[in-house]
Amino acid sequence: MMSEDRLMDIETKLAFQENTIDELNSVVIEQQKEIDRLKNTVAYLLDKMEQVADTRMERAPSNEKPPHY
């Protein structure tokens, strides 16, 4: 039969592990939120860069010679 001290030790370790898992879960949730924010920011910046590139292409003269000619 398991001694009372041994049972208490196992229960203590289990409680510590449950606490650690809860803390790690919170960290993972916050990291995922940050990843989602960063993905949105990157998508926004890529969209803006494409808009700027499209605008520059529209403004670029297609058949004009460069000024040094």
Side-chain angles (χ1 to χ4, degrees), residues 41-66:
T41 300
V42 168
Y44 173 79
L45 292 172
L46 286 173
D47 184 55
K48 287 297 181 186
M49 287 177 63
E50 287 175 8
Q51 289 176 12
V52 168
D54 290 346
T55 302
R56 295 185 102 204
M57 290 299 289
E58 290 171 4
R59 290 185 191 166
S62 57
N63 293 328
E64 285 187 30
K65 291 183 179 181

Side-chain angles (χ1 to χ4, degrees), residues 12-66:
T12 302
K13 287 179 181 178
L14 179 60
F16 178 76
Q17 288 177 348
E18 288 175 342
N19 184 51
T20 301
I21 289 169
D22 288 342
E23 289 175 0
L24 290 172
N25 189 50
S26 295
V27 169
V28 170
I29 289 169
E30 288 305 311
Q31 286 178 338
Q32 188 60 51
K33 287 178 184 177
E34 183 66 17
I35 288 169
D36 292 343
R37 283 191 294 268
L38 291 170
K39 281 182 175 180
N40 289 337
T41 300
V42 168
Y44 173 79
L45 292 172
L46 286 173
D47 184 55
K48 287 297 181 186
M49 287 177 63
E50 287 175 8
Q51 289 176 12
V52 168
D54 290 346
T55 302
R56 295 185 102 204
M57 290 299 289
E58 290 171 4
R59 290 185 191 166
S62 57
N63 293 328
E64 285 187 30
K65 291 183 179 181

